[in-house]
Amino acid sequence: NGGSLINCTFVENSAATGSAIYLEGSLDIDNCTFMRNNASSEGAIAAQSKNLVINNSIFDNNYAKNYGAAIYTWSDSASIVVENSRFINNHVGQRGGAVFFTGKDCQISNSLFEKNRVDDYYAGFGGAIDIDNTGDSTSIVNCSFNANYAICGGAIYWMNDTSKKAVIANSTFEHNSAVYGGAIAILYNLNLIANSTFINNKANTTSLTETSQSDAKIYTFTGNENIRSLVGVESGNYLRFETYHLQLN
């Protein structure tokens, strides 16, 4: 029904799902380190829980064959908060190089995602984060995404057809790469990208598009390989910018 893990280290554990932690209840994780854990299916942390809070923690070089090398959630009622944490060199076979989230609420803030990747050349989604919204809100705020890779969505792949709130704000995307959506690939709706910076991201094919329902403001695009390397959206949606600076090589 709830508990806390503080100042713990999880190194080189293995399991099919949840190589370090398998969770069905609520849990607070503070100042913990997860390194070189290996899941033959999903996640160093696999959570089918209503409340998971992670703060001041490090996820380094974890691996999962299928989804979410660091964190994997799969319940419609799941709620996760990640703050002040680092996700570095995690990799996965199919979706969510560091984090795969399906659930109600996902709030990620003040965190670093660096050199995470999805290995599958044909169906890799979300080099750092793969979000499949089923609930109320999701936000990514004050985060840095550096040198992440996937076929679709070098840093983030976001499928949002139900979430009432879907926001990326005050974040930086630098040197991420993909075939489609060098920084972000979006399926359906993203309500807002605000005060965010995109630097030297790279994609082979996509277009700079976003949903007509969005309120997208204040982007800074610098040194990206081309206009296709930033944000791609499917389902026939359109782009609207209000204030931005765009510099292409």
Side-chain angles (χ1 to χ4, degrees):
N1 293 324
S4 299
L5 292 172
I6 302 172
N7 301 324
C8 296
T9 301
F10 301 83
V11 179
E12 295 183 353
N13 301 285
S14 61
T17 299
S19 55
I21 297 173
Y22 181 91
L23 180 63
E24 293 184 350
S26 299
L27 184 64
D28 290 352
I29 296 173
D30 189 20
N31 198 35
C32 292
T33 299
F34 298 79
M35 294 180 64
R36 298 189 302 277
N37 299 287
N38 190 313
S40 60
S41 189
E42 300 98 4
I45 299 174
Q48 191 178 8
S49 58
K50 292 185 178 179
N51 294 289
L52 173 62
V53 178
I54 298 172
N55 191 35
N56 295 316
S57 293
I58 298 171
F59 296 82
D60 187 357
N61 200 27
N62 299 284
Y63 171 76
K65 183 178 181 180
N66 296 324
Y67 300 161
I71 302 170
Y72 169 72
T73 73
W74 73 97
S75 169
D76 287 349
S77 62
S79 176
I80 182 173
V81 175
V82 176
E83 298 177 321
N84 305 308
S85 295
R86 289 185 290 166
F87 298 81
I88 302 169
N89 291 319
N90 301 285
H91 64 115
V92 71
Q94 296 183 32
R95 298 182 64 176
V99 177
F100 179 89
F101 174 80
T102 296
K104 184 178 180 182
D105 297 293
C106 178
Q107 317 299 327
I108 300 174
S109 63
N110 302 305
S111 294
L112 169 68
F113 294 83
E114 184 172 272
K115 296 182 179 178
N116 303 284
R117 71 181 191 274
V118 179
D119 295 332
D120 192 320
Y121 182 77
Y122 297 100
F125 294 86
I129 299 174
D130 186 328
I131 295 173
D132 185 353
N133 276 99
T134 60
D136 294 334
S137 67
T138 303
S139 65
I140 296 171
V141 179
N142 295 323
C143 290
S144 294
F145 296 86
N146 302 323
N148 302 284
Y149 172 79
I151 291 299
C152 189
I156 298 172
Y157 178 78
W158 199 323
M159 186 170 71
N160 170 45
D161 59 349
T162 59
S163 182
K164 299 175 183 176
K165 175 186 175 185
V167 172
I168 296 172
N170 303 322
S171 294
T172 300
F173 297 81
E174 187 170 2
H175 296 295
N176 302 285
S177 59
V179 172
Y180 179 94
I184 305 169
I186 305 161
L187 180 61
Y188 303 115
N189 301 323
L190 181 64
N191 302 130
L192 175 68
I193 300 178
N195 301 313
S196 292
T197 300
F198 297 77
I199 303 172
N200 294 327
N201 299 283
K202 180 180 179 180
N204 293 346
T205 178
T206 188
S207 59
L208 183 61
T209 55
E210 199 204 309
T211 73
S212 59
Q213 300 162 347
S214 297
D215 183 17
K217 300 179 181 178
I218 316 176
Y219 299 71
T220 301
F221 300 134
T222 304
N224 297 278
E225 185 179 61
N226 54 54
I227 202 168
R228 300 175 301 174
S229 299
L230 307 171
V231 181
V233 172
E234 301 177 17
S235 296
N237 296 307
Y238 299 94
L239 171 72
R240 182 174 68 246
F241 283 124
E242 295 193 10
T243 304
Y244 68 95
H245 170 255
L246 175 62
Q247 176 184 326
L248 303 176
N249 290 338

